[in-house]
Structures are given as C-alpha cells and as structure tokens.
C-alpha cells in the first residue's frame, strides 16, 4: 500500500514537470519576443530614409554652430541660429519616429559633411560667410529639398512619408532665404535676407514704390504733352536743373 502510494506520487510529480517545461519555455520565448526592438517595423529603404533625414538635420545644426562662432555678419548669424533652432526641432521629430519604428540613427556626420565642417572651421569673416552660405545655406538645402520630395514619393511607411512632407516647407523657406542672401554681388555681406511671402522688390505690381517713380507715375508710362507755352511741372527729382534755376 505504501509502495503504491509512493509510486503514484513520483509519477504525478513527473507528469507535472513534463507539462510545466513547455509552459515555462513558451513564457521565456514570449518575453524575449516582446523585449526585442521592432527593427522590422520598416523595410530597409525606409530605414535608410529615416537615417538620411537625421544626417541632414545634424549637418545643418553643426554648420550653424560654426557660423555663430566664425562669422562677424549679423545676418549670417541670424540665419545660422534659425538653422540650429529649426533643424533641432526636425531632428527631434526624426528621433521620435526612429524610436517608434525601431530604427538606429547615426551618431555623427557623414564623411562629406565632416570634410565641409573641417574646411569651414579654418575660415573667418567674409570668407567664412561666403563659403557657409553657398555650401550649408544653398547647396545643402537644395539637395535636401530634392531628397525630401523623393522620400515623400517613395517611402512605403505612411509615418515616414508624412514626416518628409512635414519637413519640406521649412527646408524650402531656408533655401529661399539663403538664395536671397547670396544672390547679390559680393556674397552674403550686406545682403538683405528676404521675408517669406514678400513679393520681389522689382516685380510687385501694387507694392508701394515698386516699379514707380517717387511721384507715383509708373516707369515707362507716357507723359501727356503740355499745352503750348506752358512749362512742364517739376515732379520729384525730374527736371532738377530747371527747378534749381528758379
């Protein structure tokens, strides 16, 4: 009787152990699966897009910091600070997306921008301003603008696509400002940064003083012939010599 009871206890323990092992193994496998980063949330192409957007923002931030240190031009410094502020916000958006999708972002600049930063770091004054505005201001923003359009069109993940679209207007505004600053002879020095949305000075049809003489007459408009024996009136700076003789 005692022997039978002992055998039943041993068999019961063995059966319980046999059933417990698969459950324990499944629990461990499930926990490992849940703790694994969602690296496969994006395909390889979309992961590269996210990484490229991060690099682009990092490059503008670093170049902006160099401009604050090496430029003596107030307008260039203002532009550089805007680059730091705007691209830091954009980089935060990219970082948040990367964390959600399980993408590992780069922690340093690519070789191209490392070389550019090294060259800019050796320049000062006007030489720095011209190089910074031409490369980081116009060149990089033109390339990033084209890349973002491509990313928006080709990204498969809707969140990646949406972030590329969100960044486009800001990059476009930066490119517009930078182009206006370097568009004058002599580079960025003394150039007035255009205001977004403002009509061009020489093409605004109704703006005050645009395409008109100080007296209000449009350039190129025909002046009515004066009556016989009547001298034409002096308007603004016109007929300045005649006005001086009176």
């Amino acid at each position: 009787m005692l022997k039978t009871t002992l055998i039943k206890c041993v068999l019961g323990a063995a059966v319980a152990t046999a059933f417990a092992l698969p459950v324990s193994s499944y629990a461990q496998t499930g926990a490992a699966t849940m703790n694994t980063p969602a690296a496969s949330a994006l395909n390889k192409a979309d992961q590269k897009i996210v990484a490229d957007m991060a690099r682009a923002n990092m490059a503008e931030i670093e170049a902006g910091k160099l401009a604050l240190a090496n430029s003596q031009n107030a307008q260039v410094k203002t532009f550089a600070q805007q680059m730091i502020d705007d691209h830091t916000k954009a980089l935060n958006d990219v970082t948040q997306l990367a964390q959600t999708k399980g993408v590992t972002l780069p922690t340093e600049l690519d070789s191209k921008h490392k070389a550019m930063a090294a060259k800019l770091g050796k320049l000062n004054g006007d030489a720095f301003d011209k190089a910074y505005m031409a490369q980081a201001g116009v060149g990089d923003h033109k390339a990033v603008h084209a890349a973002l359009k491509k990313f928006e069109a080709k990204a498969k993940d809707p969140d990646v696509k949406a972030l590329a679209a969100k960044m486009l207007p800001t990059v476009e505004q930066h490119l517009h400002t930078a182009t206006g600053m370097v568009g004058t002879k002599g580079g960025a020095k003394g150039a007035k940064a255009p205001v977004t949305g403002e009509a061009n000075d020489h093409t605004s049809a109704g703006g005050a003083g645009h395409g008109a003489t100080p007296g209000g007459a449009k350039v190129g408009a025909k002046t009515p012939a004066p009556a016989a024996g009547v001298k034409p009136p002096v308007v603004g700076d016109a007929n300045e010599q005649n006005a001086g003789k009176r």
Side-chain angles (χ1 to χ4, degrees), residues 40-110:
S40 60
L42 299 179
N43 61 34
K44 294 294 183 182
D46 281 4
Q47 289 182 48
K48 186 178 184 303
I49 287 175
V50 175
D52 286 346
M53 289 194 291
R55 287 191 187 94
N57 285 297
M58 289 165 58
E60 286 297 334
I61 293 168
E62 292 304 313
K65 290 178 180 178
L66 279 173
L68 292 182
N70 291 24
S71 176
Q72 282 91 46
N73 186 301
Q75 292 173 345
V76 172
K77 284 178 175 286
T78 298
F79 176 83
Q81 187 61 59
Q82 184 186 3
M83 297 307 99
I84 294 172
D85 294 342
D86 290 351
H87 286 284
T88 296
K89 292 177 183 177
L91 182 58
N92 289 339
D93 289 341
V94 176
T95 301
Q96 184 175 359
L97 177 65
Q99 291 174 347
T100 302
K101 303 294 182 178
V103 178
T104 301
L105 295 180
T107 57
E108 59 183 14
L109 301 178
D110 57 21

Coordinates of all heavy atoms in Angstrom, one line a residue, residues 40-110:
S40 N 12.1 45.4 -37.5 CA 11.5 45.1 -38.8 C 10.2 45.9 -39.1 O 9.5 45.6 -40.0 CB 11.1 43.6 -38.9 OG 10.2 43.2 -37.8
A41 N 10.0 46.9 -38.3 CA 8.8 47.7 -38.5 C 8.9 48.5 -39.8 O 7.8 48.8 -40.4 CB 8.7 48.7 -37.3
L42 N 10.1 48.8 -40.3 CA 10.3 49.4 -41.6 C 11.1 48.6 -42.5 O 12.0 47.8 -42.0 CB 11.0 50.8 -41.4 CG 10.3 51.9 -40.6 CD1 11.2 53.1 -40.5 CD2 8.9 52.2 -41.1
N43 N 10.9 48.7 -43.8 CA 11.8 48.0 -44.7 C 13.1 48.7 -44.8 O 13.3 49.8 -44.2 CB 11.1 47.9 -46.1 CG 10.8 49.2 -46.8 OD1 11.6 50.2 -46.6 ND2 9.8 49.3 -47.5
K44 N 14.1 48.1 -45.5 CA 15.4 48.7 -45.5 C 15.5 50.1 -46.1 O 16.2 51.0 -45.7 CB 16.4 47.7 -46.3 CG 16.6 46.4 -45.6 CD 17.3 46.5 -44.3 CE 17.6 45.2 -43.7 NZ 18.4 45.4 -42.4
A45 N 14.7 50.3 -47.2 CA 14.7 51.6 -47.9 C 14.1 52.7 -46.9 O 14.7 53.8 -46.9 CB 13.8 51.5 -49.1
D46 N 13.1 52.4 -46.2 CA 12.5 53.4 -45.3 C 13.4 53.6 -44.1 O 13.5 54.8 -43.6 CB 11.1 52.9 -44.8 CG 10.0 53.2 -45.8 OD1 10.4 53.6 -47.0 OD2 8.9 52.9 -45.5
Q47 N 14.1 52.6 -43.6 CA 15.1 52.8 -42.6 C 16.2 53.8 -43.0 O 16.6 54.6 -42.3 CB 15.7 51.5 -42.2 CG 14.8 50.5 -41.4 CD 15.4 49.3 -41.0 OE1 16.5 49.3 -40.4 NE2 14.8 48.1 -41.2
K48 N 16.6 53.6 -44.3 CA 17.7 54.5 -44.8 C 17.2 55.9 -44.9 O 17.9 56.9 -44.7 CB 18.2 54.0 -46.2 CG 19.3 54.8 -46.7 CD 19.8 54.2 -48.0 CE 21.0 54.9 -48.6 NZ 20.8 56.4 -48.7
I49 N 15.9 56.1 -45.3 CA 15.3 57.4 -45.4 C 15.3 58.1 -44.1 O 15.7 59.3 -44.0 CB 13.9 57.3 -46.0 CG1 13.9 57.0 -47.4 CG2 13.1 58.6 -45.7 CD1 12.5 56.7 -48.0
V50 N 14.9 57.4 -43.0 CA 14.9 58.0 -41.7 C 16.3 58.4 -41.3 O 16.6 59.5 -40.7 CB 14.3 57.0 -40.7 CG1 14.4 57.5 -39.2 CG2 12.9 56.7 -41.0
A51 N 17.3 57.5 -41.5 CA 18.7 57.8 -41.2 C 19.2 59.0 -42.0 O 19.9 59.9 -41.4 CB 19.6 56.6 -41.4
D52 N 18.9 59.1 -43.2 CA 19.3 60.2 -44.1 C 18.7 61.5 -43.6 O 19.4 62.6 -43.6 CB 18.9 60.0 -45.5 CG 19.8 58.9 -46.2 OD1 20.9 58.5 -45.6 OD2 19.5 58.4 -47.3
M53 N 17.4 61.5 -43.2 CA 16.8 62.7 -42.7 C 17.5 63.2 -41.4 O 17.7 64.4 -41.1 CB 15.3 62.5 -42.4 CG 14.5 62.4 -43.7 SD 12.7 62.5 -43.5 CE 12.4 61.0 -42.6
A54 N 17.9 62.2 -40.6 CA 18.7 62.6 -39.3 C 20.0 63.2 -39.7 O 20.4 64.2 -39.1 CB 18.9 61.3 -38.5
R55 N 20.7 62.6 -40.6 CA 22.0 63.2 -41.0 C 21.9 64.6 -41.6 O 22.8 65.4 -41.3 CB 22.7 62.3 -42.1 CG 23.2 60.9 -41.5 CD 24.1 60.2 -42.5 NE 24.5 58.9 -42.1 CZ 23.8 57.8 -42.4 NH1 22.7 57.9 -43.2 NH2 24.2 56.6 -42.0
A56 N 20.9 64.8 -42.4 CA 20.7 66.1 -43.0 C 20.5 67.2 -41.9 O 21.1 68.3 -41.9 CB 19.5 66.1 -43.9
N57 N 19.7 66.9 -40.9 CA 19.4 67.8 -39.8 C 20.7 68.0 -38.9 O 21.0 69.2 -38.5 CB 18.3 67.3 -39.0 CG 16.9 67.5 -39.6 OD1 16.5 68.7 -39.9 ND2 16.2 66.4 -39.9
M58 N 21.4 67.0 -38.7 CA 22.6 67.1 -37.9 C 23.7 68.0 -38.6 O 24.3 68.8 -37.9 CB 23.2 65.7 -37.7 CG 22.4 64.8 -36.7 SD 22.9 63.0 -36.8 CE 24.7 63.1 -36.4
A59 N 23.8 67.8 -39.9 CA 24.7 68.6 -40.7 C 24.4 70.1 -40.6 O 25.3 71.0 -40.4 CB 24.7 68.2 -42.1
E60 N 23.1 70.5 -40.7 CA 22.8 71.9 -40.6 C 23.0 72.5 -39.2 O 23.4 73.6 -39.0 CB 21.3 72.1 -41.0 CG 21.1 71.9 -42.5 CD 21.8 73.0 -43.3 OE1 22.0 74.1 -42.8 OE2 22.1 72.7 -44.5
I61 N 22.7 71.6 -38.2 CA 22.9 72.1 -36.8 C 24.4 72.4 -36.6 O 24.8 73.4 -36.0 CB 22.4 71.0 -35.8 CG1 20.9 70.9 -35.9 CG2 22.8 71.4 -34.4 CD1 20.3 69.7 -35.2
E62 N 25.3 71.5 -37.0 CA 26.7 71.6 -36.8 C 27.3 72.8 -37.6 O 28.1 73.6 -37.0 CB 27.5 70.4 -37.2 CG 27.2 69.2 -36.2 CD 27.5 69.5 -34.8 OE1 28.5 70.1 -34.5 OE2 26.6 69.2 -33.9
A63 N 26.8 73.0 -38.8 CA 27.3 74.1 -39.6 C 26.8 75.4 -39.0 O 27.5 76.4 -39.0 CB 26.7 74.0 -41.0
G64 N 25.6 75.4 -38.5 CA 25.1 76.6 -37.8 C 25.9 77.0 -36.6 O 26.1 78.2 -36.4
K65 N 26.3 76.1 -35.8 CA 27.2 76.3 -34.7 C 28.5 76.9 -35.1 O 29.0 77.9 -34.4 CB 27.4 75.0 -33.9 CG 26.1 74.5 -33.2 CD 26.4 73.2 -32.4 CE 25.2 72.7 -31.7 NZ 25.4 71.4 -31.0
L66 N 29.0 76.4 -36.2 CA 30.3 77.0 -36.7 C 30.1 78.5 -37.1 O 31.0 79.3 -36.9 CB 30.8 76.2 -37.9 CG 31.5 74.9 -37.6 CD1 31.8 74.2 -38.9 CD2 32.9 75.2 -36.9
A67 N 28.9 78.7 -37.7 CA 28.6 80.1 -38.2 C 28.5 81.1 -37.0 O 29.0 82.2 -37.1 CB 27.4 80.1 -39.0
L68 N 27.9 80.6 -35.9 CA 27.8 81.5 -34.8 C 29.2 81.8 -34.2 O 29.4 82.9 -33.7 CB 27.0 80.8 -33.7 CG 25.5 80.7 -34.0 CD1 24.8 80.0 -32.8 CD2 24.8 82.0 -34.3
A69 N 30.1 80.9 -34.3 CA 31.5 81.1 -33.8 C 32.4 81.9 -34.7 O 33.2 82.7 -34.3 CB 32.1 79.8 -33.5
N70 N 32.3 81.7 -36.0 CA 33.3 82.2 -37.0 C 32.8 83.4 -37.8 O 33.6 84.0 -38.5 CB 33.7 81.1 -38.0 CG 34.5 80.0 -37.3 OD1 34.4 79.8 -36.1 ND2 35.3 79.3 -38.1
S71 N 31.5 83.7 -37.8 CA 31.1 84.8 -38.6 C 31.0 86.1 -37.8 O 30.7 86.1 -36.6 CB 29.7 84.5 -39.2 OG 29.2 85.6 -39.9
Q72 N 31.2 87.2 -38.5 CA 31.0 88.5 -37.9 C 29.9 89.3 -38.5 O 29.6 90.4 -38.2 CB 32.3 89.4 -38.0 CG 33.4 89.0 -37.1 CD 34.4 88.0 -37.6 OE1 34.8 88.1 -38.8 NE2 34.7 87.0 -36.9
N73 N 29.1 88.6 -39.4 CA 28.0 89.2 -40.1 C 26.7 88.9 -39.3 O 26.4 87.7 -39.1 CB 27.9 88.6 -41.5 CG 26.9 89.3 -42.3 OD1 25.7 89.3 -42.0 ND2 27.3 89.9 -43.4
A74 N 26.0 89.9 -38.9 CA 24.8 89.8 -38.0 C 23.7 89.0 -38.8 O 23.0 88.1 -38.1 CB 24.3 91.1 -37.6
Q75 N 23.6 89.2 -40.1 CA 22.6 88.5 -40.8 C 22.9 87.0 -41.0 O 22.0 86.2 -40.9 CB 22.4 89.2 -42.2 CG 21.8 90.5 -42.1 CD 21.7 91.3 -43.4 OE1 22.4 90.9 -44.3 NE2 21.0 92.3 -43.5
V76 N 24.1 86.7 -41.2 CA 24.6 85.3 -41.3 C 24.4 84.6 -39.9 O 23.9 83.5 -39.9 CB 26.1 85.2 -41.7 CG1 26.6 83.8 -41.6 CG2 26.2 85.7 -43.1
K77 N 24.7 85.3 -38.8 CA 24.5 84.7 -37.5 C 23.0 84.5 -37.2 O 22.6 83.5 -36.7 CB 25.0 85.7 -36.4 CG 26.5 85.6 -36.3 CD 27.0 86.6 -35.2 CE 28.5 86.5 -35.0 NZ 28.9 85.3 -34.2
T78 N 22.1 85.4 -37.7 CA 20.7 85.2 -37.5 C 20.2 84.0 -38.3 O 19.4 83.2 -37.8 CB 19.9 86.5 -38.0 OG1 20.3 87.6 -37.2 CG2 18.4 86.3 -37.9
F79 N 20.7 83.9 -39.5 CA 20.3 82.7 -40.4 C 20.8 81.4 -39.7 O 20.1 80.4 -39.6 CB 21.0 82.9 -41.7 CG 20.7 81.7 -42.7 CD1 19.5 81.6 -43.4 CD2 21.7 80.7 -42.8 CE1 19.3 80.5 -44.2 CE2 21.5 79.7 -43.6 CZ 20.3 79.5 -44.4
A80 N 22.0 81.5 -39.2 CA 22.6 80.3 -38.6 C 21.8 79.8 -37.3 O 21.6 78.6 -37.1 CB 24.1 80.5 -38.2
Q81 N 21.4 80.8 -36.5 CA 20.6 80.5 -35.4 C 19.2 79.9 -35.7 O 18.8 78.9 -35.1 CB 20.4 81.7 -34.5 CG 19.7 81.4 -33.2 CD 20.5 80.5 -32.3 OE1 21.6 80.8 -31.9 NE2 19.9 79.4 -31.9
Q82 N 18.7 80.4 -36.8 CA 17.4 79.8 -37.3 C 17.6 78.3 -37.8 O 16.8 77.5 -37.5 CB 16.8 80.6 -38.4 CG 15.5 80.1 -38.9 CD 14.9 80.8 -40.1 OE1 15.6 81.7 -40.7 NE2 13.7 80.4 -40.6
M83 N 18.8 78.1 -38.4 CA 19.1 76.7 -38.8 C 19.2 75.8 -37.6 O 18.7 74.7 -37.7 CB 20.4 76.7 -39.6 CG 20.4 77.5 -40.9 SD 19.0 77.1 -42.1 CE 17.9 78.4 -41.7
I84 N 19.8 76.3 -36.6 CA 20.0 75.4 -35.4 C 18.6 75.1 -34.8 O 18.3 74.0 -34.4 CB 20.9 76.1 -34.4 CG1 22.4 76.2 -34.9 CG2 20.9 75.4 -33.1 CD1 23.3 77.1 -34.1
D85 N 17.8 76.2 -34.6 CA 16.5 76.0 -34.0 C 15.6 75.1 -34.8 O 15.0 74.1 -34.3 CB 15.8 77.4 -33.8 CG 16.6 78.3 -32.8 OD1 17.4 77.7 -32.1 OD2 16.4 79.5 -32.9
D86 N 15.5 75.4 -36.1 CA 14.5 74.6 -37.0 C 15.0 73.2 -37.2 O 14.1 72.2 -37.1 CB 14.4 75.3 -38.3 CG 13.6 76.6 -38.2 OD1 13.1 76.9 -37.1 OD2 13.6 77.4 -39.2
H87 N 16.3 73.0 -37.4 CA 16.7 71.6 -37.6 C 16.8 70.8 -36.4 O 16.8 69.6 -36.4 CB 18.1 71.7 -38.4 CG 17.9 72.1 -39.8 ND1 17.4 71.2 -40.8 CD2 18.2 73.2 -40.5 CE1 17.4 71.8 -42.0 NE2 17.8 73.0 -41.8
T88 N 16.9 71.4 -35.2 CA 16.9 70.7 -33.9 C 15.5 70.2 -33.7 O 15.3 69.0 -33.3 CB 17.3 71.6 -32.8 OG1 18.6 72.0 -32.9 CG2 17.1 70.9 -31.4
K89 N 14.5 71.0 -34.0 CA 13.1 70.5 -34.0 C 12.8 69.4 -34.9 O 12.2 68.4 -34.5 CB 12.1 71.7 -34.3 CG 12.1 72.8 -33.3 CD 11.2 73.9 -33.7 CE 11.2 75.1 -32.7 NZ 10.3 76.2 -33.2
A90 N 13.3 69.5 -36.1 CA 13.2 68.4 -37.1 C 13.9 67.2 -36.7 O 13.3 66.0 -36.9 CB 13.7 68.9 -38.5
L91 N 15.1 67.3 -36.1 CA 15.8 66.1 -35.7 C 15.1 65.4 -34.5 O 15.1 64.2 -34.4 CB 17.2 66.5 -35.2 CG 18.1 65.4 -34.8 CD1 18.3 64.3 -35.9 CD2 19.5 66.0 -34.4
N92 N 14.4 66.2 -33.7 CA 13.6 65.6 -32.6 C 12.5 64.8 -33.2 O 12.2 63.7 -32.6 CB 13.1 66.7 -31.7 CG 14.2 67.3 -30.8 OD1 15.3 66.7 -30.6 ND2 14.0 68.5 -30.3
D93 N 11.9 65.3 -34.2 CA 10.8 64.5 -34.9 C 11.3 63.2 -35.5 O 10.7 62.2 -35.4 CB 10.1 65.4 -36.0 CG 9.3 66.5 -35.4 OD1 8.9 66.5 -34.2 OD2 9.1 67.5 -36.2
V94 N 12.5 63.3 -36.1 CA 13.1 62.1 -36.7 C 13.4 61.1 -35.6 O 13.2 59.9 -35.8 CB 14.3 62.5 -37.5 CG1 15.0 61.2 -38.1 CG2 14.0 63.4 -38.7
T95 N 14.0 61.6 -34.5 CA 14.4 60.7 -33.4 C 13.2 60.0 -32.8 O 13.2 58.8 -32.5 CB 15.1 61.5 -32.3 OG1 16.2 62.2 -32.9 CG2 15.5 60.6 -31.2
Q96 N 12.1 60.7 -32.6 CA 10.9 60.1 -32.1 C 10.3 59.1 -33.0 O 9.9 58.0 -32.6 CB 9.8 61.2 -31.9 CG 8.5 60.7 -31.2 CD 7.5 61.8 -30.9 OE1 7.8 63.0 -31.2 NE2 6.4 61.5 -30.4
L97 N 10.3 59.3 -34.3 CA 9.9 58.4 -35.3 C 10.8 57.1 -35.3 O 10.3 56.0 -35.4 CB 9.9 59.0 -36.7 CG 9.5 58.0 -37.9 CD1 8.1 57.6 -37.7 CD2 9.7 58.7 -39.2
A98 N 12.1 57.3 -35.2 CA 13.0 56.2 -35.2 C 12.8 55.3 -34.0 O 12.9 54.1 -34.1 CB 14.5 56.8 -35.2
Q99 N 12.6 55.9 -32.9 CA 12.3 55.1 -31.7 C 11.0 54.3 -31.8 O 11.0 53.2 -31.4 CB 12.2 56.1 -30.4 CG 13.6 56.7 -30.1 CD 13.4 57.7 -28.9 OE1 12.3 58.1 -28.6 NE2 14.5 58.1 -28.4
T100 N 10.0 54.9 -32.4 CA 8.8 54.2 -32.6 C 8.9 53.0 -33.5 O 8.3 52.0 -33.3 CB 7.7 55.2 -33.1 OG1 7.5 56.3 -32.2 CG2 6.3 54.5 -33.3
K101 N 9.7 53.2 -34.6 CA 9.8 52.2 -35.6 C 11.0 51.3 -35.4 O 11.2 50.4 -36.2 CB 10.0 52.9 -37.0 CG 8.8 53.8 -37.4 CD 7.5 53.1 -37.5 CE 6.4 54.1 -38.0 NZ 5.1 53.4 -38.2
G102 N 11.8 51.5 -34.4 CA 12.9 50.7 -34.1 C 14.1 50.9 -35.0 O 14.8 49.9 -35.4
V103 N 14.4 52.1 -35.4 CA 15.5 52.4 -36.3 C 16.6 53.0 -35.5 O 16.4 53.9 -34.7 CB 15.0 53.4 -37.4 CG1 16.2 53.8 -38.3 CG2 13.9 52.8 -38.2
T104 N 17.8 52.5 -35.8 CA 19.0 53.1 -35.1 C 19.6 54.2 -36.0 O 19.9 54.1 -37.2 CB 20.1 52.0 -35.0 OG1 19.6 50.9 -34.2 CG2 21.3 52.5 -34.3
L105 N 19.7 55.4 -35.4 CA 20.1 56.6 -36.1 C 21.6 56.8 -36.0 O 22.3 56.3 -35.0 CB 19.4 57.8 -35.5 CG 17.9 57.9 -35.7 CD1 17.4 59.2 -35.0 CD2 17.5 57.8 -37.1
P106 N 22.2 57.4 -36.9 CA 23.7 57.7 -36.9 C 24.0 58.7 -35.7 O 23.1 59.5 -35.4 CB 24.0 58.4 -38.2 CG 22.6 58.9 -38.7 CD 21.6 58.0 -38.2
T107 N 25.2 58.6 -35.2 CA 25.5 59.5 -34.1 C 26.6 60.5 -34.5 O 27.0 61.4 -33.7 CB 26.1 58.7 -32.9 OG1 27.2 57.9 -33.4 CG2 25.0 57.7 -32.4
E108 N 27.0 60.5 -35.8 CA 28.0 61.5 -36.3 C 27.7 61.9 -37.7 O 26.9 61.2 -38.4 CB 29.4 61.0 -36.1 CG 29.6 59.7 -36.8 CD 31.1 59.1 -36.6 OE1 31.7 59.6 -35.7 OE2 31.5 58.2 -37.3
L109 N 28.3 62.9 -38.2 CA 28.2 63.4 -39.5 C 28.8 62.4 -40.5 O 29.6 61.6 -40.2 CB 28.8 64.7 -39.7 CG 28.4 65.9 -38.9 CD1 29.2 67.2 -39.2 CD2 26.9 66.2 -39.1
D110 N 28.3 62.4 -41.8 CA 28.9 61.6 -42.8 C 30.2 62.2 -43.2 O 30.5 63.3 -42.8 CB 27.9 61.4 -44.0 CG 27.5 62.8 -44.6 OD1 28.2 63.8 -44.4 OD2 26.5 62.8 -45.3

